Amino acid sequence: MDHELDLTADGATLTAALTDIASVSGDEKPLADAIERVLSALPHLSVHRRGNTVLAQTGLGRKERVVLAGHIDTVPHADNFPSSFNSERSRLTGCGTTDMKSGVAVQLRLAAEMTAPARDVTYVFYECEEVAAEDNGLYLLSRSAPELLAADFAVLLEPTGGVVEGGCQGTLRASVTASGARAHTARSWMGRNAIHEAGAILDVLRAWQPRTPVVDGLRYHEGLNAVAIGGGVAGNVVPDSCVVTVNYRYAPDTSEAEAADYIRSLFAPWEVSMLDNAPGARPGLSEPVAAAFVAAVGGTPRAKLGWTDVARFAELGIPAVNYGPGIPELAHTPGEYVEVAAIADCENRLRAWLSA
Amino acid sequence: MDHELDLTADGATLTAALTDIASVSGDEKPLADAIERVLSALPHLSVHRRGNTVLAQTGLGRKERVVLAGHIDTVPHADNFPSSFNSERSRLTGCGTTDMKSGVAVQLRLAAEMTAPARDVTYVFYECEEVAAEDNGLYLLSRSAPELLAADFAVLLEPTGGVVEGGCQGTLRASVTASGARAHTARSWMGRNAIHEAGAILDVLRAWQPRTPVVDGLRYHEGLNAVAIGGGVAGNVVPDSCVVTVNYRYAPDTSEAEAADYIRSLFAPWEVSMLDNAPGARPGLSEPVAAAFVAAVGGTPRAKLGWTDVARFAELGIPAVNYGPGIPELAHTPGEYVEVAAIADCENRLRAWLSA
């Protein structure tokens, strides 16, 4: 089914429409199609597509070019699809409302309305942010067509509660494998139970204490979690393998390599395999172009705890910040929602900045 | 492909042929077809089939009828298929050699050769012993056609190392579920990690000490193992559920209900669901018909630790023992093998008993 988006609707109505086009990572095509179709109809934009990543640019020959970027995928639904407004229509609940279809709605509204912004703008709508780094649409674009991303400054509309968030933490996933020896469970003492052994891996996770370092004036907060566990051969067999997948969120004072070494040493008794590792970015708010944006939209910047693609822009040498209408604490929770007023507020502040 | 079995080959050669017809639980059809076909060609037997369970009976009007029973399924292969003899041809290695295609080979050899045994014999070859109790071919037969199983005594040719093993332990499977609350892993303190919580379930398993009670003169040995674990939502989500499947092997002084109560109390802090529960059987070697068999085949009886279908015969009021050529300690291990000499020895002792 082809979905039609109405970019003249207010930001909350548009957020609801975007939320109700399911786009769990890997299944973004229907939403990417709808975005490509609606933007291609606008004469002031040139539109490009790579996979399910859509990019639209003004070409006014302005002195500065800025990027407004957002991912269009969500985590799997958790009985929170489709979206619903509360009775006062002050709040929209549903999978992706906060992370980050409200931000995508703001991008689309500005893209349609700002036919002649004071700065040239590149709008990026990309796929697969919620899954492995190598599938990330912005990463793929930065490798296949970095010229399309060229800019002086970038804003990611990730959920920040309307506050400028600086930098981001790195994220690393690794598998930690406990080994054992198979045996019939009627004679379990002939084998070694790998799932029982994995209890010692979980002990490490349960005892772990997070660091909360201050980097360039902003306080970060690390995290280390099991995100998957699996083991078992048959209902009467002592299992010989149990795999725990861990996700380490590390502050931007730690490099990719240091984070990997730390995880290997923490789980030294077991076999550790790195699955993916995306470094963070220091906040960099002292850069003039970043400072100017902060001054324009107002508020006191804080540290971004989630990994976001500001790290990709950092790699490309483009200063970048997070600034969006969603509520970061609610991302990936079943009760995820966004405040309707925050969507319009974010849109208005960005419009003012782009017009000035 | 149709497999042809040669019942005039020696027991070891026949065991190898049976082993090389893959029959992991649920996929027994090719082997059941081969057994049905070869037995149907023998005029002294009447053959019945239910699903992938095959039954063959002599009908000589003898005073006594005995059952020789064995399951034809195996656990999943573990790089141990097909079978291979060692260079001296003293040992046959492969999935199912010990548990229990060597026993099935003895059944088939006796079925073909004993055209006029001193006792009428019912040979049972049944499916799905290695999986959930409700799929067990002997269980299904005991419900749908118990008259076919009517007998004065039963021998199960499960691996016992050529020693009579009395009774069997019960086996119970239950799922124990740790719950939590989802959150983004960048803010894991907003949620509760169910996999970390499952570490406390594994702590119970690691600290558990087995009972080794003496029942009717034989010493049993209990076991409690995690046989599966699973949890995880996505690579960046704090998971809200983790399920540990446990297998409790309990001595025959404990009833089905007592075993279930024990597991519920042991894991009281968590949600416990019973998956299946098959009670054990007391050894019962004081019954005259069991004592006569023990006297005929010789040796000192010991306790059967694995659950076997002697418990089904116990339910039908038929005294039953385990007696077979396989090596019980090797059942379900990747290095599973059977001693060639043990196959002929078991066959000879049973032939002598059936002839007397």
Side-chain angles (χ1 to χ4, degrees):
Chain A
M1 189 181 94
D2 284 353
H3 300 275
E4 297 304 326
L5 296 172
D6 174 10
L7 303 190
T8 67
D10 66 273
T13 302
L14 181 55
T15 300
L18 293 168
T19 302
D20 295 346
I21 303 175
S23 59
V24 175
S25 307
D27 292 319
E28 297 94 336
K29 185 172 186 301
L31 180 53
D33 288 350
I35 290 171
E36 182 186 16
R37 200 161 41 239
V38 75
L39 294 180
S40 296
L42 300 173
H44 66 287
L45 295 175
S46 58
V47 175
H48 304 263
R49 177 155 176 174
R50 295 283 191 284
N52 290 321
T53 294
V54 178
L55 189 139
Q57 297 180 306
T58 62
L60 299 162
R62 303 291 195 234
K63 222 169 48 215
E64 273 189 338
R65 175 175 289 279
V66 298
V67 170
L68 295 188
H71 64 84
I72 61 172
D73 60 323
T74 70
V75 294
H77 300 167
D79 292 329
N80 56 359
F81 182 90
S83 66
S84 58
F85 283 102
N86 63 352
S87 54
E88 300 83 28
R89 213 187 138 87
S90 63
R91 182 176 282 187
L92 177 68
T93 298
C95 185
T97 48
T98 248
D99 185 11
M100 56 165 284
K101 291 186 174 174
S102 50
V104 172
V106 170
Q107 290 177 262
L108 286 169
R109 292 263 303 154
L110 293 171
E113 201 182 307
M114 304 287 283
T115 53
R119 301 167 166 86
D120 269 311
V121 186
T122 300
Y123 300 93
V124 185
F125 305 88
Y126 61 100
E127 62 184 328
C128 287
E129 193 268 351
E130 300 289 8
V131 288
E134 72 263 25
D135 297 324
N136 180 300
L138 190 63
Y139 165 76
L140 294 175
L141 206 57
S142 74
R143 292 297 180 272
S144 68
E147 70 283 0
L148 289 176
L149 294 173
D152 302 289
F153 183 59
V155 178
L156 275 161
L157 284 94
E158 290 276 354
T160 68
V163 173
V164 177
E165 291 192 336
C168 74
Q169 297 198 127
T171 180
L172 170 161
R173 271 184 284 256
S175 66
V176 184
T177 302
S179 295
R182 287 192 196 187
H184 194 297
T185 50
R187 278 181 194 74
S188 48
W189 50 94
M190 304 288 295
R192 259 183 321 113
N193 193 314
I195 296 176
H196 297 194
E197 168 69 14
I201 296 172
L202 300 183
D203 286 348
V204 171
L205 291 167
R206 290 154 82 195
W208 187 81
Q209 294 295 327
R211 288 197 316 135
T212 58
V214 172
V215 183
D216 296 354
L218 301 182
R219 181 172 297 281
Y220 292 86
H221 190 149
E222 299 195 331
L224 179 62
N225 275 272
V227 291
I229 190 167
V233 176
N236 52 5
V237 178
V238 172
D240 55 357
S241 177
C242 182
V243 180
V244 182
T245 306
V246 300
N247 181 208
Y248 176 38
R249 301 285 177 151
Y250 55 97
D253 61 348
T254 301
S255 73
E256 201 172 348
E258 287 166 346
D261 287 348
Y262 173 69
I263 291 299
R264 282 199 192 88
S265 68
L266 191 62
F267 297 105
W270 302 283
E271 186 191 328
V272 176
S273 291
M274 292 297 142
L275 302 177
D276 55 37
N277 190 354
R282 298 182 72 102
L285 293 180
S286 51
E287 300 285 325
V289 62
F293 172 80
V294 171
V297 300
T300 304
R302 64 182 177 196
K304 183 69 183 175
L305 300 184
W307 188 92
T308 75
D309 281 307
V310 296
R312 309 238 180 260
F313 288 107
E315 274 181 1
L316 294 173
I318 303 169
V321 298
N322 300 286
Y323 177 72
I327 302 164
E329 290 77 7
L330 300 181
H332 302 197
T333 64
E336 178 178 358
Y337 65 82
V338 66
E339 297 289 355
V340 163
I343 303 173
D345 186 59
C346 175
E347 181 184 325
N348 291 337
R349 288 173 189 267
L350 287 173
R351 183 187 293 108
W353 173 58
L354 291 176
S355 307
Chain B
M1 189 180 94
D2 283 353
H3 300 276
E4 297 304 326
L5 296 172
D6 174 9
L7 304 190
T8 67
D10 67 89
T13 302
L14 181 56
T15 300
L18 293 167
T19 302
D20 295 346
I21 303 174
S23 59
V24 175
S25 307
D27 292 319
E28 297 94 337
K29 185 172 185 301
L31 180 53
D33 288 350
I35 290 172
E36 182 186 16
R37 200 161 43 239
V38 73
L39 293 179
S40 296
L42 300 173
H44 65 286
L45 295 175
S46 57
V47 175
H48 304 263
R49 177 155 175 173
R50 294 282 191 287
N52 290 320
T53 294
V54 178
L55 188 141
Q57 297 181 305
T58 62
L60 299 162
R62 304 290 196 232
K63 221 168 53 219
E64 274 188 339
R65 173 174 291 279
V66 298
V67 170
L68 295 189
H71 65 82
I72 62 172
D73 60 323
T74 70
V75 293
H77 300 166
D79 291 329
N80 56 359
F81 182 89
S83 65
S84 58
F85 283 102
N86 62 352
S87 54
E88 300 82 27
R89 214 188 135 85
S90 62
R91 183 176 281 187
L92 177 68
T93 299
C95 184
T97 48
T98 249
D99 186 13
M100 57 167 280
K101 291 187 175 175
S102 49
V104 172
V106 169
Q107 291 177 263
L108 287 169
R109 292 263 302 153
L110 293 171
E113 200 183 306
M114 304 287 284
T115 53
R119 300 166 166 85
D120 268 313
V121 186
T122 299
Y123 300 94
V124 185
F125 305 89
Y126 61 100
E127 63 183 326
C128 287
E129 192 268 351
E130 300 289 9
V131 288
E134 72 263 24
D135 297 323
N136 180 299
L138 190 63
Y139 165 76
L140 295 174
L141 205 58
S142 75
R143 291 298 180 272
S144 68
E147 69 283 1
L148 289 176
L149 294 173
D152 301 290
F153 183 60
V155 179
L156 274 162
L157 285 92
E158 290 277 354
T160 69
V163 174
V164 177
E165 290 191 340
C168 75
Q169 295 198 129
T171 180
L172 171 162
R173 270 184 284 256
S175 66
V176 184
T177 301
S179 294
R182 286 192 197 186
H184 195 294
T185 50
R187 280 182 192 74
S188 49
W189 51 94
M190 303 290 294
R192 261 183 319 113
N193 193 313
I195 296 176
H196 296 196
E197 169 69 15
I201 297 173
L202 300 184
D203 286 348
V204 171
L205 292 167
R206 290 154 84 194
W208 188 81
Q209 294 296 326
R211 289 198 315 137
T212 58
V214 172
V215 183
D216 296 354
L218 300 183
R219 181 172 296 280
Y220 290 86
H221 190 147
E222 298 194 331
L224 178 62
N225 275 273
V227 291
I229 190 166
V233 176
N236 52 5
V237 179
V238 173
D240 56 356
S241 177
C242 181
V243 181
V244 182
T245 306
V246 300
N247 181 208
Y248 177 38
R249 300 283 178 154
Y250 54 97
D253 60 349
T254 300
S255 74
E256 200 171 347
E258 286 166 347
D261 287 348
Y262 173 68
I263 291 299
R264 281 200 194 88
S265 69
L266 190 64
F267 296 105
W270 301 284
E271 187 192 327
V272 176
S273 292
M274 294 295 144
L275 303 177
D276 55 37
N277 190 354
R282 298 180 72 100
L285 292 181
S286 51
E287 299 286 325
V289 63
F293 172 80
V294 170
V297 300
T300 304
R302 64 182 177 198
K304 183 67 184 176
L305 299 184
W307 188 92
T308 74
D309 280 308
V310 298
R312 308 241 180 257
F313 288 108
E315 275 181 0
L316 294 172
I318 304 169
V321 297
N322 299 284
Y323 177 70
I327 301 165
E329 291 78 5
L330 300 181
H332 302 197
T333 64
E336 178 178 0
Y337 65 83
V338 65
E339 297 287 356
V340 163
I343 304 173
D345 186 59
C346 175
E347 180 184 328
N348 290 337
R349 288 173 190 266
L350 287 173
R351 183 187 293 107
W353 174 57
L354 292 176
S355 305

